């Protein structure tokens, strides 16, 4: 009986010690497995918030106006994760600002400029959707790589690795569709078709990219 009591006491002490080590804190920062976020972390979350807003806008237009079913599906998949990712990144940005960390000196550029009116008025909505999504994803991959390699907070570095890998997969699909349908990034010459735009071969799909 005394031996059992000693085992129980030891287990309770171990549990208490582990709980103390696990930290707690407010927001996503404060656990013991993180470190003080640095300027790269601050620039990463700020840049990715802007990126997610851009891609969300592009995806909303694509989901409604893209002629090809494949692109509408890509747009809807993007929208499915966009709100979740944007909320997480915005919360992270608020946490970092609350800790007084500035993105100054991080040398991370702003996302590619994006004007939704230009996408809506494009000769080919499908082509322009692909080109703009590729630009945004290339940017996200580069920013995520900077955070992965030079960030200070372990949770944000893990998030950056996830973003980096997922956007690279998306990029491969988008680039294959661009080559399959248009042969490259050049805007196709035909004028807009009635009802909005598929120019440059907006007919039935030629099959999945290979």
């Amino acid at each position: 009986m005394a031996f059992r009591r000693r085992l129980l006491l030891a287990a309770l002490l171990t549990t208490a010690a582990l709980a103390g080590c696990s930290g707690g804190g407010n927001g996503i920062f404060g656990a013991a497995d993180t470190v003080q976020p640095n300027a790269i972390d601050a620039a990463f979350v700020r840049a990715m918030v802007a990126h997610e807003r851009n891609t969300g806008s592009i995806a909303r237009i694509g989901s409604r106006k893209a002629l090809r079913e494949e692109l509408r599906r890509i747009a809807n998949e993007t929208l499915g994760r966009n709100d979740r990712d944007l909320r997480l990144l915005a919360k992270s940005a608020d946490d970092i600002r609350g800790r007084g960390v500035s993105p100054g000196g991080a040398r991370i550029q702003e996302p590619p400029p994006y004007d939704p009116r230009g996408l809506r008025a494009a000769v080919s909505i499908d082509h322009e959707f692909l080109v703009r999504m590729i630009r945004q994803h290339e940017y996200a991959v580069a920013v995520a790589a900077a955070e992965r390699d030079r960030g200070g907070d372990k949770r944000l570095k893990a998030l950056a690795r996830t973003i980096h890998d997922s956007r690279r997969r998306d990029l491969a699909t988008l680039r294959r569709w661009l080559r399959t349908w248009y042969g490259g990034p050049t805007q196709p010459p035909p004028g807009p078709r009635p009802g909005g735009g598929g120019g440059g071969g907006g007919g039935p799909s030629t099959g999945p990219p290979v």
Side-chain angles (χ1 to χ4, degrees), residues 99-180:
R99 295 165 72 89
V101 181
S102 167
R107 291 183 295 186
I108 290 180
Q109 297 180 348
E110 297 296 321
Y114 164 64
D115 179 4
R117 292 171 297 182
L119 177 55
R120 294 191 190 100
V123 169
S124 168
I125 287 285
D126 286 15
H127 178 272
E128 195 67 13
F129 171 85
L130 282 167
V131 169
R132 291 178 186 242
M133 287 293 280
I134 286 170
R135 288 175 186 160
Q136 291 293 331
H137 281 34
E138 287 172 341
Y139 173 82
V141 167
V143 172
E147 168 64 26
R148 179 198 62 195
D149 297 339
R150 298 187 286 134
D153 185 272
K154 291 184 179 180
R155 294 186 183 186
L156 283 179
K157 287 165 72 72
L159 175 61
R161 285 191 290 271
T162 299
I163 290 173
H164 184 272
D165 294 345
S166 69
R167 299 308 188 269
R168 284 191 66 183
R169 289 192 296 270
D170 292 346
L171 265 175
T173 299
L174 292 164
R175 286 168 173 161
R176 283 197 297 266
W177 281 129
L178 188 66
R179 288 195 305 270
T180 298

Side-chain angles (χ1 to χ4, degrees), residues 24-151:
N26 297 320
I28 69 166
F29 302 108
D33 61 350
T34 65
V35 297
Q36 175 68 24
N38 60 20
I40 298 295
D41 298 317
F44 167 71
V45 293
R46 186 180 71 172
M48 288 302 298
V49 165
H51 159 76
E52 289 295 339
R53 287 174 177 158
N54 285 351
T55 54
S57 176
I58 295 169
R60 278 189 291 274
I61 295 172
S63 69
R64 296 193 304 267
K65 293 185 174 292
L67 296 183
R68 291 179 169 89
E69 179 183 352
E70 295 87 347
L71 298 187
R72 293 195 300 273
R73 182 170 62 248
I74 289 172
N76 286 323
E77 289 171 355
T78 301
L79 288 174
R81 73 185 181 208
N82 182 254
D83 287 343
R84 178 200 63 214
D85 291 351
L86 188 54
R87 285 195 302 270
L88 174 61
L89 289 161
K91 182 179 179 181
S92 303
D94 289 342
D95 283 336
I96 288 180
R97 279 195 299 269
R99 295 165 72 89
V101 181
S102 167
R107 291 183 295 186
I108 290 180
Q109 297 180 348
E110 297 296 321
Y114 164 64
D115 179 4
R117 292 171 297 182
L119 177 55
R120 294 191 190 100
V123 169
S124 168
I125 287 285
D126 286 15
H127 178 272
E128 195 67 13
F129 171 85
L130 282 167
V131 169
R132 291 178 186 242
M133 287 293 280
I134 286 170
R135 288 175 186 160
Q136 291 293 331
H137 281 34
E138 287 172 341
Y139 173 82
V141 167
V143 172
E147 168 64 26
R148 179 198 62 195
D149 297 339
R150 298 187 286 134

